[in-house]
Amino acid sequence: MEKQVSAPVIYETPYTDLATYDLEEKVRQEIGEENVEYITDYPTVYIIQDDRLKKRSKYKVYVGETNDIIQRTNEHLIKDSKNEIYWDNFRNSKTSLMYVIGHEHFNKSLTLDIENKIMQYLSCVPNVEKIHNKRTNAQKKYYTSNEMSLIFTKIWKKLHEKNQNLFISEQEIVNSAIFKASPFHSLTKEQEKAQTAILELVDKAIAKKQSGQLILVRGEAGSGKTVLMSSLFYNLAKRAKDVHLLVNHNEQLTVYKTIASKLDLEKKKDEVVAKPTSFINKHSPKQKVDVILVDEAHLLLTQGKQSYRGKNQLIDLLDRAKVVIAVFDDKQILTREQIWQEDILQTLGNDYPVQEFTLMNQMRMNANEATIDWLRTMIDDGTIKTLPKDDKYDLRVFDDPAKMHQAIVEKNQEQAGLSRMVATFDWEYNTNAKGELSYVQIGDWKLPWNLQLKDPNSNKEDSWAEQAITINEVGSTYTIQGFDLNYAGVILGPSVTYRDGKIVFDPAKSANKKATQRRSIITKEGSQMISFGPELLKHELNVLLTRGVKGLYLYAVDEQLQKELMKKVKNN
């Protein structure tokens, strides 16, 4: 039985010099005598918002918490408005409002948690341009901590009733790509322990004026690497470090740029969030930055190409920073240009100090351990066992891609988005330059293939899976890597076969030339052209099968693989 908690009290007032004048009486008249003490005597959380750009419906906000709302508001109005331009703007705007939130169970820890959660939610709202508070206050256990989520949901629903443009639905927020990468998530003990140790290493390296310190954070898909990286980025930026966040994935780059912009972490003369090649080309080793964070570091190039003329991007970054923090999962390397020779990380230790951390917990998939083991056995060993029963996770095999697509459409409607079709890169892809679409086609069924459909009404900040039009498109590993889906419908194309009791990858049937073409590797015998096709196609499978948070739907083109999956997976 769900625990019951009382409703929050929310008092709304224009944010002016008279905001706190005769506050008790105004609260008494507007929301009742019984609620006065929750606003004036209890700890409160408050939100100040300004939508002076009303035609664009864009907001600038401040979120805070206090034990004395009258005193704190007067400090903002009198003292802070003299020192910070945004406080002066709030004070002088004719459209700024303040929401004061109270609750009978509020204490210091709970209000800090609520403040943190509101900042997390508002950072995901497309209409919010800036959040000026730079704190993260996620708390650990405390009295009433078990009530936090229930109280917060009631608060957000009440705020949503007051302003649906600013306080959008909770479902929209939790489905957003920005929410997944938010620095305001509560860290697990494993993540928190790693973050504390990493921040200490950074402080020591900078204090000792070291350079080239490499901190490697390992973890498989869904182990919480992105949340840890985002938290580190935010904490280091708050400490006024010269910090840069680099990522090779286009869609993830957009997410981090949006976060940096909304939380006011950007610099005037230099990009805080960029691609590795862009950063390397703009920065000289002679002027080292404090910290470089590299998300999805397994996507760094280990050979030159058109825009990158070096030999190894990680080494180039180490030469340009005092500390490099790199998130790494060698099972997500997807192209020949990203292949790491077996001994390269070991040999790095000869020239640069290296510290490693490993995240072990699986956090993405809401599945039991037996289901996770079933998937890992299929991916890592190529063996398909009988799927154990799991009431938490919806894993099915379909005998028709059209039926699977229809099921994904239905789940997308039920879950308010974020369910999509994806496939191994086994169909030719055109850039749509002449308006001709590429398709994933199986028999008479087909859907557009990978970033072809354009929706003029979509927000430019939206990732592929957040755009409504892409429900009728099939994405690839390059589209979805680094992102979560609620339900993933995965088509295993002709390159994924089943022979003699094992999954076997056939590079000849893949359209992914970046994975199947050979590359030059330096060995003891000299330079050799080596194919990494089967290994990289295995990584492709790993990325696709670990996207679904609530469910995974499968269809295989290869008849023997499809037959084996149907045999071993009994649909509920």
Side-chain angles (χ1 to χ4, degrees):
M1 183 176 177
E2 186 179 273
K3 184 172 181 177
Q4 297 297 311
V5 296
S6 57
V9 177
I10 300 180
Y11 173 69
E12 179 182 342
T13 181
Y15 183 74
T16 69
D17 288 341
L18 299 176
T20 60
Y21 177 75
D22 205 10
L23 183 63
E24 287 191 21
E25 183 59 30
K26 287 190 289 188
V27 172
R28 183 177 293 109
Q29 291 180 7
E30 294 180 32
I31 59 176
E33 172 72 37
E34 69 278 9
N35 294 318
V36 171
E37 63 178 343
Y38 301 135
I39 297 298
T40 61
D41 298 333
Y42 275 55
T44 56
V45 178
Y46 59 97
I47 303 166
I48 301 169
Q49 61 97 347
D50 179 17
D51 62 340
R52 67 172 67 190
L53 300 174
K54 241 178 168 45
K55 290 182 180 179
R56 292 169 53 203
S57 294
K58 295 295 183 181
Y59 296 88
K60 295 183 179 181
V61 299
Y62 181 91
V63 186
E65 60 78 38
T66 181
N67 289 327
D68 188 334
I69 189 62
I70 294 175
Q71 178 182 332
R72 190 74 185 108
T73 302
N74 288 335
E75 287 175 353
H76 289 323
L77 288 167
I78 299 169
K79 180 181 176 182
D80 294 340
S81 63
K82 294 179 180 179
N83 299 323
E84 293 283 358
I85 186 66
Y86 64 84
W87 278 118
D88 190 51
N89 289 337
F90 279 136
R91 179 185 180 184
N92 292 314
S93 172
K94 295 179 180 180
T95 61
S96 58
L97 293 173
M98 180 167 69
Y99 303 93
V100 185
I101 305 163
H103 194 277
E104 63 179 358
H105 288 185
F106 269 3
N107 55 50
K108 184 69 172 179
S109 292
L110 184 51
T111 55
L112 285 169
D113 249 359
I114 296 292
E115 176 193 25
N116 189 77
K117 193 78 170 176
I118 290 175
M119 289 174 67
Q120 180 185 37
Y121 272 39
L122 287 175
S123 67
C124 302
V125 176
N127 291 335
V128 171
E129 285 190 330
K130 295 289 181 187
I131 301 175
H132 288 289
N133 188 347
K134 286 188 173 65
R135 294 192 296 177
T136 49
N137 295 314
Q139 302 293 291
K140 297 180 182 178
K141 287 191 175 182
Y142 52 88
Y143 181 65
T144 70
S145 63
N146 61 331
E147 298 177 350
M148 187 272 181
S149 61
L150 293 173
I151 292 173
F152 178 81
T153 294
K154 287 178 179 287
I155 289 171
W156 193 261
K157 284 181 178 178
K158 205 162 185 177
L159 289 169
H160 179 68
E161 291 170 2
K162 289 180 174 293
N163 186 340
Q164 294 184 15
N165 286 324
L166 178 57
F167 307 107
I168 64 176
S169 75
E170 199 166 3
Q171 190 67 57
E172 287 180 84
I173 287 169
V174 298
N175 277 349
S176 70
I178 291 176
F179 181 80
K180 314 295 183 184
S182 169
F184 299 106
H185 284 289
S186 296
L187 301 183
T188 64
K189 289 184 178 179
E190 182 182 50
Q191 291 169 322
E192 190 174 341
K193 183 178 179 181
Q195 175 167 262
T196 300
I198 290 169
L199 291 175
E200 287 179 0
L201 286 169
V202 170
D203 289 341
K204 287 179 181 177
I206 292 175
K208 293 180 179 180
K209 297 183 179 180
Q210 293 177 343
S211 62
Q213 164 82 64
L214 173 61
I215 300 173
L216 201 63
V217 181
R218 291 183 180 271
E220 293 189 357
S223 60
K225 303 185 299 296
T226 295
V227 168
L228 175 58
M229 177 63 68
S230 185
S231 182
L232 283 166
F233 174 49
Y234 192 61
N235 275 287
L236 288 165
K238 285 193 304 175
R239 295 182 181 200
K241 306 292 187 194
D242 183 12
V243 57
H244 296 259
L245 176 57
L246 309 181
V247 60
N248 251 329
H249 193 287
N250 286 331
E251 300 218 344
Q252 200 73 357
L253 182 74
T254 300
V255 168
Y256 283 128
K257 278 182 173 289
T258 302
I259 290 173
S261 175
K262 291 190 177 198
L263 300 181
D264 208 22
L265 304 178
E266 295 175 311
K267 297 181 180 180
K268 292 181 179 180
K269 295 182 179 180
D270 200 4
E271 285 185 303
V272 170
V273 180
K275 284 193 170 186
T277 297
S278 174
F279 178 89
I280 290 168
N281 290 341
K282 288 181 180 179
H283 290 79
S284 165
K286 295 179 181 179
Q287 294 180 315
K288 300 182 190 299
V289 302
D290 286 339
V291 184
I292 296 173
L293 300 105
V294 189
D295 198 12
E296 309 274 358
H298 38 268
L299 301 182
L300 289 174
L301 299 175
T302 57
Q303 68 173 154
K305 57 183 300 186
Q306 285 183 339
S307 57
Y308 172 63
R309 299 300 182 184
K311 295 181 179 179
N312 186 298
Q313 287 188 327
L314 180 56
I315 292 174
D316 285 342
L317 294 176
L318 286 166
D319 289 339
R320 287 162 171 78
K322 297 171 185 175
V323 182
V324 173
I325 305 170
V327 163
F328 192 83
D329 177 8
D330 53 10
K331 292 181 181 179
Q332 292 195 60
I333 293 171
L334 297 179
T335 76
R336 68 187 186 279
E337 298 153 340
Q338 298 158 357
I339 286 290
W340 292 75
Q341 289 182 250
E342 291 183 8
D343 61 346
I344 191 169
L345 290 175
Q346 284 75 27
T347 56
L348 273 176
N350 298 329
D351 300 312
Y352 308 93
V354 180
Q355 292 278 348
E356 288 198 30
F357 298 86
T358 302
L359 299 180
M360 302 297 294
N361 296 330
Q362 166 57 242
M363 297 173 63
R364 174 181 290 134
M365 299 169 64
N366 293 336
N368 62 34
E369 288 187 15
T371 300
I372 300 295
D373 289 343
W374 183 88
L375 268 175
R376 290 263 47 104
T377 300
M378 178 178 169
I379 296 167
D380 298 336
D381 302 332
T383 302
I384 304 175
K385 297 181 179 180
T386 299
L387 179 69
K389 186 174 178 58
D390 188 345
D391 294 330
K392 297 193 301 180
Y393 197 74
D394 185 9
L395 201 160
R396 305 186 216 171
V397 177
F398 285 77
D399 60 5
D400 183 342
K403 292 179 182 177
M404 185 166 77
H405 179 227
Q406 182 57 39
I408 287 295
V409 170
E410 291 171 2
K411 287 297 181 184
N412 191 62
Q413 292 170 344
E414 291 173 14
Q415 302 291 323
L418 226 61
S419 295
R420 291 293 184 272
M421 295 280 284
V422 292
T424 52
F425 211 109
D426 292 345
W427 287 266
E428 292 296 333
Y429 175 73
N430 298 316
T431 58
N432 195 18
K434 297 180 180 180
E436 298 176 0
L437 298 183
S438 297
Y439 290 93
V440 171
Q441 183 160 3
I442 301 168
D444 295 331
W445 176 88
K446 67 178 183 179
L447 278 184
W449 176 218
N450 199 37
L451 290 172
Q452 304 252 347
L453 301 181
K454 305 299 179 184
D455 183 359
N457 297 318
S458 67
N459 191 311
K460 67 178 182 179
E461 297 173 359
D462 289 345
S463 67
W464 174 80
E466 293 175 286
Q467 298 174 39
I469 200 169
T470 60
I471 189 61
N472 293 314
E473 187 172 60
V474 181
S476 72
T477 45
Y478 301 114
T479 315
I480 205 64
Q481 187 176 32
F483 290 89
D484 296 352
L485 294 171
N486 284 326
Y487 288 81
V490 181
I491 297 172
L492 304 176
S495 70
V496 190
T497 69
Y498 190 76
R499 304 290 184 268
D500 301 320
K502 287 275 190 178
I503 289 177
V504 179
F505 297 95
D506 186 352
K509 295 178 180 178
S510 171
N512 189 357
K513 293 183 175 63
K514 289 185 176 181
T516 57
Q517 288 180 346
R518 296 187 300 168
R519 71 159 281 183
S520 174
I521 290 290
I522 303 299
T523 67
K524 293 179 180 178
E525 291 75 29
S527 177
Q528 292 186 353
M529 295 297 291
I530 298 177
S531 172
F532 294 91
E535 178 185 345
L536 294 175
L537 295 183
K538 181 178 179 180
H539 293 175
E540 186 176 22
L541 184 68
N542 176 56
V543 169
L544 294 176
L545 296 188
T546 55
R547 293 305 102 189
V549 173
K550 299 178 180 180
L552 170 65
Y553 297 165
L554 296 171
Y555 173 82
V557 172
D558 180 75
E559 290 184 10
Q560 293 185 46
L561 177 57
Q562 176 70 6
K563 183 178 178 180
E564 188 68 15
L565 285 169
M566 295 287 287
K567 177 182 175 182
K568 296 295 177 64
V569 178
K570 305 298 181 183
N571 292 342
N572 295 329

